[in-house]
């Protein structure tokens, strides 16, 4: 059996915070604000898996008000959700994600992001796609105020 899931995440960008995407620290004037490490790519992929499992979203499993998730490594949260998927008898077939960020350019970091996600998901890097786009100077992404990620995953049982 196959299950498909979609994930979406946005974080405000602010000075004095690190910018972490897919577990990669990206050198940037502004980082992502948030309770955990604010890794929007890891969050969107995690939400997509939870969606495929019909298990709610990240906020249900790792609430903002719970201090144990403050500055949490979001790849560890993803690993916990992978454990849940395994309990339900599902594995990830592939992931496709689009990161929308005005600057800096993400292309030099994309392979490391794919490798981190693939390691956490237990699949080959050839099954994890990460694409980078800008906001073309428009909207909150385009003004450099936000990072937004969309992700889709396919799960298979057995
Ligand atoms: Zn998030």
């Amino acid at each position: 059996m196959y299950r498909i899931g979609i994930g979406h995440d946005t974080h405000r960008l602010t000075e004095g915070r690190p910018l972490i995407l897919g577990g990669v620290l990206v050198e940037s004037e502004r980082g992502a604000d948030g309770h955990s490490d604010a890794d929007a790519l890891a969050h969107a992929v995690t939400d997509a898996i939870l969606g495929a499992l019909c298990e709610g979203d990240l906020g249900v499993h790792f609430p903002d008000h719970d201090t144990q998730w403050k500055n949490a490594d979001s790849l560890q949260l993803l690993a916990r959700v992978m454990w849940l998927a395994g309990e339900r008898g599902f594995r990830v077939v592939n992931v496709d994600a689009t990161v929308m960020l005005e600057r800096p350019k993400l292309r030099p970091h994309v392979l490391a992001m794919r490798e981190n996600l693939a390691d956490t998901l237990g699949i080959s890097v050839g099954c994890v796609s990460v694409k980078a786009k800008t906001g073309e100077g428009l909207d909150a992404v385009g003004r450099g105020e936000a990072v937004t990620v969309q992700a889709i995953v396919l799960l298979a049982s057995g």
Side-chain angles (χ1 to χ4, degrees):
M1 185 167 63
Y2 291 102
R3 304 290 292 263
I4 196 164
I6 190 167
H8 184 101
D9 197 36
T10 295
H11 282 263
R12 183 185 296 274
L13 295 175
T14 181
E15 284 174 22
R17 285 276 303 180
L19 179 62
I20 297 171
L21 289 166
V24 176
L25 178 62
V26 176
E27 205 170 306
S28 171
E29 284 170 21
R30 290 173 154 199
D33 205 8
H35 189 69
S36 64
D37 63 1
D39 185 335
L41 176 54
H43 291 176
V45 172
T46 306
D47 257 1
I49 295 168
L50 287 170
L53 295 169
C54 288
E55 277 285 349
D57 61 29
L58 205 61
V60 171
H61 293 266
F62 311 105
D64 272 3
H65 55 75
D66 190 334
T67 51
Q68 73 170 306
W69 311 124
K70 188 170 163 55
N71 298 320
D73 176 348
S74 294
L75 289 179
Q76 294 298 323
L77 308 186
L78 177 57
R80 282 169 176 257
V81 167
M82 275 311 295
W83 176 85
L84 178 65
E87 284 290 294
R88 299 289 159 82
F90 284 98
R91 61 187 168 78
V92 174
V93 177
N94 76 305
V95 175
D96 186 20
T98 301
V99 181
M100 281 166 281
L101 180 74
E102 199 65 10
R103 60 188 164 277
K105 290 277 177 252
L106 291 179
R107 191 154 301 157
H109 304 288
V110 161
L111 181 59
M113 292 174 191
R114 292 172 60 208
E115 286 171 345
N116 284 345
L117 291 170
D119 282 350
T120 308
L121 298 171
I123 58 180
S124 76
V125 71
C127 297
V128 179
S129 162
V130 174
K131 308 189 297 300
K133 279 185 150 10
T134 72
E136 295 287 339
L138 303 167
D139 69 25
V141 169
R143 290 191 299 272
E145 295 169 1
V147 56
T148 291
V149 182
Q150 292 176 324
I152 190 162
V153 305
L154 184 67
L155 305 186
S157 60

